[in-house]
Amino acid sequence: VTENRSNLEDLHLYATPREQRFRRFASLEFEGQLYMTPYDFIQAVTNDEPKRAKKWRSLSKQELNQILMETPPVWKGSSKLFRNLNEKGVISYTEYLFLLCILTKPHAGFRIAFNMFDTDGNEMVDKKEFLVLQEIFRKKNEKRERKGDEEKRAMLRLQLYGYHTSTNSVLKTEGEDLVPRSYWDTLRRSTSQALFSDLAERADDISSSLSDTTLLVHFFGKKGKAELNFEDFYRFMDNLQTEVLEIEFLSYSNGMNTISEEDFAHILLRYTNVENTSSYLENMRCRIPEEKGITFDEFRSFFQFLNNLEDFAIAMQMYNFASRSIGQDEFKRAVYVATGVKLSPHLVNTVFKIFDVDRDDQLSYKEFIGIMKDRLNRGFR
């Protein structure tokens, strides 16, 4: 089924940037709701545009059931889960937002995330507790909706959530709209028992009307009765982070054990608001004439550090307040103290050669933090 072009563009006018991206990469439709395949999700976080023409293929109930029957249980997860599933999986818009959250969070945050889902404190998360996530993100999204034709916005909600939604928001508190918050912040701020009990009642209502997804079956089994423990939850989050990094690394390594310093710079500068990327690359070429290469372990350690960027930014601000720039030794020490991640001397030197535009072998807060915040959130900060 090929979406009518004018209707597609028309609804796009009422969508937020994240909604637009989901709609652009999603390839499946079931009973009016759009879904990504695991392949679509990987494409959405590693490419600027979809590799194929815009089509939404309608799934039959039988096809969906077959896909879910073949979904492996959580204890069979791996860092190749999404690649192995490929087109045989369905991911809803809410789950897309959840997976994006995972990609930008430090390992220390995994326990916080698990405890937020575990509303009864029994060290296990059940399907009903997990579905509260759907309501929290939906309520968050209602505040971000663009004004306009209510009928068009209702169509958009149906596409993204699979059911019509009211505009009453139980998340709304006085003054909250003054500060734009991330989905992670919203989730973190929405954990009071009173709020969760309210949303849990709503989750009961919607769970009966919503179709199961690959993630729900993976976590809670084909009958939805299994419970998720922290070890399996942690492993899933860690595997997803690793899988996306492996895909990005392999796309440049051409089967080798390393990528070039220039390729590393290309990956870092993607999805940022840097306009003159050529000057950064030229700067690095001149200052690292002999290519040594970046290993996957170095590559992964840098992105683990980026997921702890907020803690590192505090250390960097202390230098900034003291009107001091930061050298390589101070940088490496600040990374380790703030995040617990050890970066290799070669990796730190490469980062400096990329971002030290004025070539004083010092890294300023302004030169580095702002750009990396954009990169961490893949252009959707």
Side-chain angles (χ1 to χ4, degrees), residues 4 37 57 69 79 88 109 156-157 184 210 228 243 257 278 297 308-309 313 363 372:
N4 178 276
T37 65
R57 183 171 73 85
M69 282 295 293
S79 63
K88 294 184 177 180
L156 191 59
R157 289 188 213 120
W184 181 263
L210 286 180
L228 187 64
E243 181 160 16
N257 293 325
S278 57
D297 285 342
N308 289 272
L309 194 63
L363 200 67
M372 287 299 93

Side-chain angles (χ1 to χ4, degrees), residues 295-314:
T295 67
F296 180 70
D297 285 342
E298 288 177 315
F299 182 79
R300 189 180 186 210
S301 69
F302 185 82
F303 281 93
Q304 285 176 336
F305 148 65
L306 273 196
N307 285 351
N308 289 272
L309 194 63
E310 288 183 11
D311 292 334
F312 174 74
I314 295 171

Side-chain angles (χ1 to χ4, degrees), residues 57-102:
R57 183 171 73 85
S58 288
L59 276 182
S60 67
K61 183 69 174 176
Q62 185 178 359
E63 287 174 313
L64 178 60
N65 288 340
Q66 185 60 38
I67 286 173
L68 297 178
M69 282 295 293
E70 296 175 14
T71 301
V74 70
W75 53 270
K76 282 191 176 180
S78 74
S79 63
K80 289 184 169 58
L81 176 67
F82 279 55
R83 282 171 284 186
N84 289 341
L85 288 172
N86 197 16
E87 303 280 4
K88 294 184 177 180
V90 289
I91 298 168
S92 70
Y93 176 64
T94 310
E95 291 167 344
Y96 165 70
L97 297 176
F98 167 62
L99 295 173
L100 289 181
C101 281
I102 289 176

Side-chain angles (χ1 to χ4, degrees), residues 3 11 13 22 42 73 90 112 133 139 149 153 182 185 210-211 256 298 312 334 357 375:
E3 175 71 4
L11 281 186
L13 297 174
F22 179 82
I42 292 297
V90 289
I112 297 170
L133 170 81
K139 294 294 185 184
D149 189 326
R153 288 193 290 128
S182 70
D185 286 337
L210 286 180
S211 300
M256 306 293 285
E298 288 177 315
F312 174 74
V357 179
R375 178 57 180 86

Side-chain angles (χ1 to χ4, degrees), residues 8-22:
L8 172 68
E9 291 170 356
D10 198 21
L11 281 186
H12 248 50
L13 297 174
Y14 298 93
T16 65
R18 280 202 193 277
E19 291 170 347
Q20 289 173 0
R21 190 164 185 82
F22 179 82

Side-chain angles (χ1 to χ4, degrees), residues 268-285:
L268 285 193
L269 294 172
R270 287 180 73 190
Y271 311 115
T272 68
N273 58 6
V274 172
E275 294 178 359
N276 58 334
T277 55
S278 57
S279 66
Y280 283 90
L281 297 173
E282 184 59 34
N283 184 52
M284 194 207 63
R285 287 189 205 104

Side-chain angles (χ1 to χ4, degrees), residues 129-165:
E129 288 173 319
F130 188 78
L131 281 174
V132 170
L133 170 81
Q134 174 114 358
E135 275 302 282
I136 289 175
F137 280 179
R138 183 183 68 79
K139 294 294 185 184
K140 168 70 177 173
N141 199 66
E142 283 181 356
K143 294 184 197 173
R144 290 185 169 179
E145 282 185 344
R146 297 185 175 177
K147 302 301 179 186
D149 189 326
E150 177 57 37
E151 184 181 345
K152 289 288 187 351
R153 288 193 290 128
M155 288 172 62
L156 191 59
R157 289 188 213 120
L158 187 62
Q159 275 192 345
L160 296 175
Y161 299 102
Y163 54 90
H164 289 288
T165 63

